[in-house]
Amino acid sequence: CSSDLLVGLMFLAFLLAIFVVIQVDPGFVPLQSMAWSVALNYLELLVIIAAALFFGTFTSSLMASIFTFSLYLIGHFSRDLLALGAIAKNENIAMLTRVVYTLLPDLERFNIRNESIYGSIPNLTELGVTLTLGILYIALFMSGAVTIFSRREF
């Protein structure tokens, strides 16, 4: 109970510090880009949660956790996988990496933390595509989870 109070007080102190900084120098904190960064991180979290629910409908808890963690890792390194396929001498490996990159969610699209620190945000077209892809992946994972769960017998 005391740890909850301490976390709450630290959060309030942090908000107070941000409020003071904004009052002293309004241009110091890039609020718009930080808001986009938080929103895209939240959307990434929703994609991961939807994938975890999807995997949890047909596997054990441990396997669902492993699959979800693997999807998280592959999703953040999928651009590197695509680059690896581009430098491969074998055309079959290049095609396989393109297929994996296309099918799995590119979670690095949601990561604009570094850009938001410096106050720059991607253009609206890129943000719209990222939001649309996130919502589509959530819808696909959740519809798959509902379909599999509705066919289970208890």
Side-chain angles (χ1 to χ4, degrees), residues 4 125 148:
D4 294 338
T125 304
I148 292 171

Side-chain angles (χ1 to χ4, degrees), residues 75-128:
H76 277 285
F77 292 114
S78 61
R79 291 183 185 176
D80 296 333
L81 182 67
L82 189 63
L84 177 69
I87 63 171
K89 305 259 190 250
N90 191 343
E91 184 59 37
N92 292 331
I93 292 175
M95 185 173 56
L96 178 68
T97 57
R98 282 194 302 268
V99 167
V100 169
Y101 178 77
T102 304
L103 292 179
L104 294 177
D106 180 15
L107 298 177
E108 199 59 31
R109 290 183 71 96
F110 301 105
N111 184 9
I112 61 167
R113 288 178 222 127
N114 293 335
E115 293 87 2
S116 70
I117 290 172
Y118 298 108
S120 66
I121 56 173
N123 58 24
L124 290 178
T125 304
E126 189 174 337
L127 286 173

